[in-house]
Amino acid sequence: MTSRYDIFLKVVELGSFTKAGGALHYSQSAISQAVKALEEDLETRLLDRSKEPLALTADGKAYLPYLQSIVQAERALERKQDEMRGLLDAHIRLGIFTSVGRNLLPPLLYEFRQRYPGVHFDLSQGEYDSIRSQLLAAQIDLGFLNEQGAGDLGFERVYRDRMVAVLSRESPLAAKETVSLRDLAGEPFIELDEGTRSVAVEGFHALGLEPRYACKVYDDYTILSLVRQGLGYSILYSLAVTGADKEVVVRPIRETLERSIVLAYTNEATLPLAARRFLEFARARLPSLVKTLELEM
């Protein structure tokens, strides 16, 4: 919508209410009323209507640079609104952990970028505790977390992921179709670093077992490499080992070890527009993406 400041500058440029109306597709009367309202607000005459073409009064000349600045600011605001609506040059800060970044996130980001090609993603990789801390410190907009660690944060449930045993091909347990935590307890355990709470370790402790620790590693890729070299076994989430069965042996665990993954945020209402759009998109698209990945497992 054309502002009265814009209308006034067009009248000054063309020297006529009628010509300004034609250029802006307004009636001569509407143009005149807009200028009159501006003059009333400023409590002065800006145009000398006795001259042809119309000329600025002394006060009009004094106010002109300020009115031009207002119009420039209005146009800059309109450009920014257009950018925000189209998410041009917008950044979304996203906290992720390895298995999400490896399998779930790439197709999600690809499809979102197809819709909003001007969006940039700033990805911060960590474990649940660090991602939660970044959310609370407003260092990221959204973060993938274990639901247990989300606490009082807002979140959208994404999927449930069950843990599996990951063994080297030379492991004596590789011959079994399924394994139990009791089978695994005596072997060198390469623990996935999940932060302060480990689903696998809690599973052992629930049975009164203590795993034989070899090392604790954050990155799933590094764990797979260590297992492949025969340095021990690990317990990883099924999403993390999709496509890895050519390198290692993956076996179901009889006991149920699983997590519920959520996409968390501190306050949906105060999220930047781009992050809000991504949350809405993820809400709609993630269920079908998860089903596709489950079929590939």
XYZ file of all heavy atoms in Angstrom, residues 91-95 122-124 129-143 266:
181
model
N 18.919 -17.596 8.169
C 19.739 -18.655 8.765
C 18.925 -19.397 9.821
O 18.244 -18.783 10.637
C 20.995 -18.060 9.405
C 22.021 -17.622 8.414
N 23.177 -18.326 8.167
C 22.040 -16.559 7.573
C 23.884 -17.705 7.235
N 23.213 -16.625 6.860
N 19.019 -20.719 9.788
C 18.386 -21.559 10.795
C 19.492 -22.297 11.534
O 20.293 -23.021 10.921
C 17.410 -22.568 10.168
C 16.295 -21.833 9.415
C 16.819 -23.489 11.240
C 15.378 -22.750 8.632
N 19.556 -22.099 12.849
C 20.599 -22.731 13.660
C 20.017 -24.016 14.264
O 19.053 -23.961 15.018
C 21.062 -21.771 14.745
C 21.600 -20.439 14.204
C 21.817 -19.426 15.311
N 20.586 -19.192 16.054
C 20.544 -18.576 17.243
N 21.645 -18.159 17.821
N 19.384 -18.396 17.844
N 20.648 -25.127 13.921
C 20.068 -26.431 14.235
C 21.084 -27.305 14.954
O 22.208 -27.488 14.479
C 19.618 -27.092 12.928
C 18.767 -28.336 12.986
C 17.454 -28.081 13.717
C 18.467 -28.816 11.561
N 20.683 -27.854 16.108
C 21.533 -28.776 16.848
C 21.202 -30.216 16.484
O 20.036 -30.612 16.510
N 22.869 -23.483 9.774
C 24.078 -23.531 10.596
C 23.915 -24.716 11.535
O 23.120 -24.657 12.485
C 24.242 -22.233 11.392
C 24.322 -21.009 10.483
O 24.862 -21.144 9.368
O 23.838 -19.937 10.890
N 24.643 -25.796 11.263
C 24.480 -27.045 12.013
C 25.523 -27.133 13.119
O 26.716 -26.934 12.886
C 24.608 -28.250 11.074
C 23.625 -28.282 9.893
C 23.850 -29.534 9.054
C 22.184 -28.219 10.380
N 25.054 -27.458 14.314
C 25.926 -27.632 15.464
C 25.766 -29.070 15.951
O 24.674 -29.473 16.371
C 25.550 -26.647 16.569
O 26.321 -26.865 17.725
N 23.102 -33.411 25.970
C 23.308 -32.387 26.990
C 23.783 -31.078 26.371
O 23.326 -29.998 26.747
C 24.326 -32.868 28.033
C 23.816 -34.060 28.830
O 22.582 -34.226 28.915
O 24.644 -34.819 29.360
N 24.726 -31.175 25.434
C 25.252 -29.949 24.831
C 24.202 -29.273 23.954
O 24.108 -28.039 23.917
C 26.515 -30.252 24.012
O 26.227 -31.102 22.916
N 23.380 -30.067 23.262
C 22.321 -29.493 22.422
C 21.291 -28.781 23.293
O 20.850 -27.667 22.980
C 21.669 -30.584 21.562
C 22.676 -31.115 20.537
C 20.425 -30.044 20.839
C 22.198 -32.333 19.775
N 20.913 -29.403 24.397
C 19.953 -28.764 25.312
C 20.523 -27.457 25.872
O 19.822 -26.441 25.942
C 19.597 -29.724 26.452
C 18.685 -29.098 27.504
C 18.381 -30.077 28.632
N 17.784 -29.382 29.764
C 16.507 -29.038 29.849
N 15.675 -29.331 28.870
N 16.044 -28.403 30.903
N 21.804 -27.472 26.250
C 22.434 -26.265 26.784
C 22.452 -25.154 25.742
O 22.226 -23.982 26.072
C 23.870 -26.572 27.233
O 23.873 -27.486 28.311
N 22.703 -25.505 24.494
C 22.715 -24.503 23.425
C 21.324 -23.910 23.201
O 21.186 -22.711 22.938
C 23.241 -25.117 22.137
C 24.741 -25.357 22.146
C 25.211 -25.975 20.849
O 24.691 -26.996 20.391
N 26.191 -25.362 20.225
N 20.301 -24.749 23.307
C 18.932 -24.245 23.182
C 18.625 -23.243 24.295
O 18.097 -22.156 24.045
C 17.934 -25.398 23.238
C 17.698 -26.182 21.955
C 16.881 -27.443 22.241
C 16.974 -25.326 20.914
N 18.962 -23.595 25.528
C 18.658 -22.735 26.669
C 19.454 -21.428 26.615
O 18.998 -20.398 27.112
C 18.945 -23.475 27.973
C 18.029 -24.673 28.269
C 18.508 -25.426 29.499
C 16.587 -24.220 28.445
N 20.628 -21.486 25.987
C 21.457 -20.279 25.867
C 21.145 -19.491 24.595
O 21.824 -18.502 24.308
C 22.935 -20.672 25.879
N 20.115 -19.933 23.845
C 19.704 -19.270 22.598
C 20.816 -19.251 21.556
O 20.881 -18.360 20.712
C 19.209 -17.852 22.878
N 21.695 -20.269 21.608
C 22.754 -20.378 20.605
C 22.281 -21.113 19.358
O 22.905 -21.021 18.303
C 23.962 -21.095 21.218
C 24.622 -20.308 22.336
C 25.645 -21.115 23.093
O 25.698 -22.343 23.007
N 26.484 -20.431 23.861
N 21.201 -21.871 19.486
C 20.566 -22.529 18.349
C 19.060 -22.302 18.444
O 18.533 -21.971 19.512
C 20.877 -24.045 18.297
C 20.474 -24.734 19.600
C 22.343 -24.290 17.984
C 20.670 -26.239 19.588
N 18.368 -22.460 17.324
C 16.920 -22.253 17.289
C 16.159 -23.539 17.604
O 15.156 -23.511 18.319
C 16.500 -21.763 15.900
C 17.233 -20.504 15.488
O 17.258 -19.550 16.287
O 17.794 -20.471 14.375
N 16.633 -24.655 17.050
C 15.980 -25.947 17.195
C 17.043 -27.004 17.434
O 18.184 -26.864 16.967
C 15.212 -26.301 15.908
C 14.119 -25.328 15.453
C 13.765 -25.592 13.989
C 12.875 -25.482 16.320
N 16.675 -28.077 18.131
C 17.653 -29.125 18.383
C 16.998 -30.489 18.506
O 15.923 -30.621 19.097
N 12.802 -23.665 22.631
C 12.475 -23.051 23.912
C 11.077 -22.441 23.908
O 10.313 -22.606 24.845
C 13.505 -21.961 24.279
O 13.631 -21.043 23.188
C 14.856 -22.582 24.575
